[in-house]
Amino acid sequence: MKTPVLLLAAPLAAILVLGLAPLVLVIVWSFCAWDSATYWIKPEFSLAAYGAILEAGRWSVFLSTLGKAFLASAICLIIAYPTAYAMYFLAGRTLSVVLAALLTIPFFTSYLIRSFSWRLLLGRTGVINTLLQQAGITDAPLDWLLFSNFAVIVGLVASYLPFATFPILLSMRRVDTIALAASRDLGAGFWTMVRTVLLPLTYSGVFAGFLFVFVMVAGSSTEVQMLGGAGASIVSVMINDVMRVANFPLAFAISTLMLVIVFGLVLIGDALFGLSSLFEERGQ
């Protein structure tokens, strides 16, 4: 028994020191007061930081962030599921590698470059508006293509699609293909097989993909600032603005609230979709 304990000691210590300890400090400091005279934290219990979330439009930024995160995650799942199906069930090994590379190659460049490339595509003089006008579909550039919620969602989906695809692909690899073949032998059509057999067996991967994209979107800022315009905001941008004035308890309170939301989603996902099954041995 000593060997497994020793093997677990190092990673557990790393998780506690590098992961859990900073989160605990953030939560504790979120309940402290802020001294506006010294721009520092007062070591006294206070709920003022949480009350400040409801002021000056901060709550609307929270709701907007959650809306963007849910919408971008849902769209990613709609695209990722058939992509994962094609990679595992239809494409050969070489083509699957090529598709996986195409999904990950954009991450070899910075978020800033990727977001700016969408400005070149969606702008008034961008590629899309130019093609639409040359084809006679529009008479003038479409202003809503850029600096809008539409542009933000497009940029977010393009950035975080792989985070939805690979968990679904992993869950599909754990499906017993005999069950799929049996459903076809019993007369189920393709869509019936997908809806009644494959989809329920991959719920854990679907929710994991949703959760990954949701967390990434909630913590993103580049796509929103580059594609949403000057007035666009998201929780991560709001935290940066609060940190600039050194209101640390408020920044920590915003982070803690997002942490509670994400942790709640993890618990819901495990209860409804068996998220923990991704970590089980195949066949158990």
Side-chain angles (χ1 to χ4, degrees):
M1 293 296 293
K2 292 183 178 180
T3 302
V5 172
L6 292 175
L7 290 175
L8 289 174
L12 285 177
I15 292 173
L16 290 175
V17 174
L18 301 178
L20 187 60
L23 290 179
V24 171
L25 290 176
V26 166
I27 295 172
V28 171
W29 286 338
S30 71
F31 291 99
C32 292
W34 179 58
D35 190 349
S36 58
T38 61
Y39 288 92
W40 197 243
I41 300 172
K42 287 183 179 179
E44 59 184 46
F45 180 80
S46 174
L47 294 175
Y50 289 92
I53 294 177
L54 302 176
E55 300 174 0
R58 293 191 181 99
W59 188 246
S60 63
V61 175
F62 245 102
L63 295 179
S64 176
T65 299
L66 294 178
K68 289 183 176 68
F70 273 105
L71 181 57
S73 300
I75 295 174
C76 280
L77 290 182
I78 293 174
I79 301 173
Y81 203 89
T83 301
Y85 182 91
M87 291 174 65
Y88 183 60
F89 290 104
L90 302 181
R93 181 172 300 180
T94 302
L95 182 56
S96 296
V97 172
V98 171
L99 292 174
L102 291 175
L103 283 172
T104 55
I105 281 175
F107 286 87
F108 297 163
T109 61
S110 69
Y111 286 102
L112 184 63
I113 297 298
R114 279 183 283 151
S115 298
F116 189 79
S117 67
W118 281 108
R119 295 181 65 164
L120 300 178
L121 288 171
L122 301 175
R124 287 179 58 87
T125 58
V127 175
I128 294 178
N129 267 316
T130 299
L131 292 176
L132 289 175
Q133 292 178 80
Q134 289 179 350
I137 299 175
T138 59
D139 297 326
L142 299 176
D143 293 327
W144 55 266
L145 286 180
L146 186 60
F147 301 134
S148 62
N149 286 330
F150 170 81
V152 171
I153 296 299
V154 169
L156 291 172
V157 170
S159 294
Y160 303 119
L161 180 60
F163 292 94
T165 304
F166 290 114
I168 296 175
L169 181 61
L170 174 63
S171 66
M172 286 184 177
R173 291 178 60 87
R174 300 170 62 86
V175 172
D176 190 349
T177 55
I178 295 178
L180 305 182
S183 67
R184 301 302 296 268
D185 291 340
L186 292 173
F190 173 77
W191 294 111
T192 301
M193 180 272 294
V194 170
R195 178 174 54 85
T196 61
V197 180
L198 182 61
L199 186 58
L201 291 174
T202 55
Y203 274 154
S204 58
V206 170
F207 188 82
F210 176 89
L211 186 63
F212 287 156
V213 176
F214 184 93
V215 172
M216 298 296 293
V217 170
S220 66
S221 61
T222 304
E223 295 84 2
V224 176
Q225 292 178 309
M226 291 289 293
L227 302 175
S233 187
I234 201 168
V235 163
S236 58
V237 176
M238 182 169 60
I239 292 175
N240 290 335
D241 293 339
V242 172
M243 291 291 285
R244 287 193 183 99
V245 297
N247 191 341
F248 300 114
L250 177 54
F252 296 153
I254 296 171
S255 301
T256 300
L257 185 54
M258 288 302 300
L259 180 65
V260 170
I261 292 173
V262 172
F263 189 69
L265 286 175
V266 172
L267 294 179
I268 293 172
D270 190 35
L272 297 180
F273 306 109
L275 190 60
S276 59
S277 65
L278 284 175
F279 304 98
E280 297 175 354
E281 291 292 335
R282 187 172 181 176
Q284 290 186 356

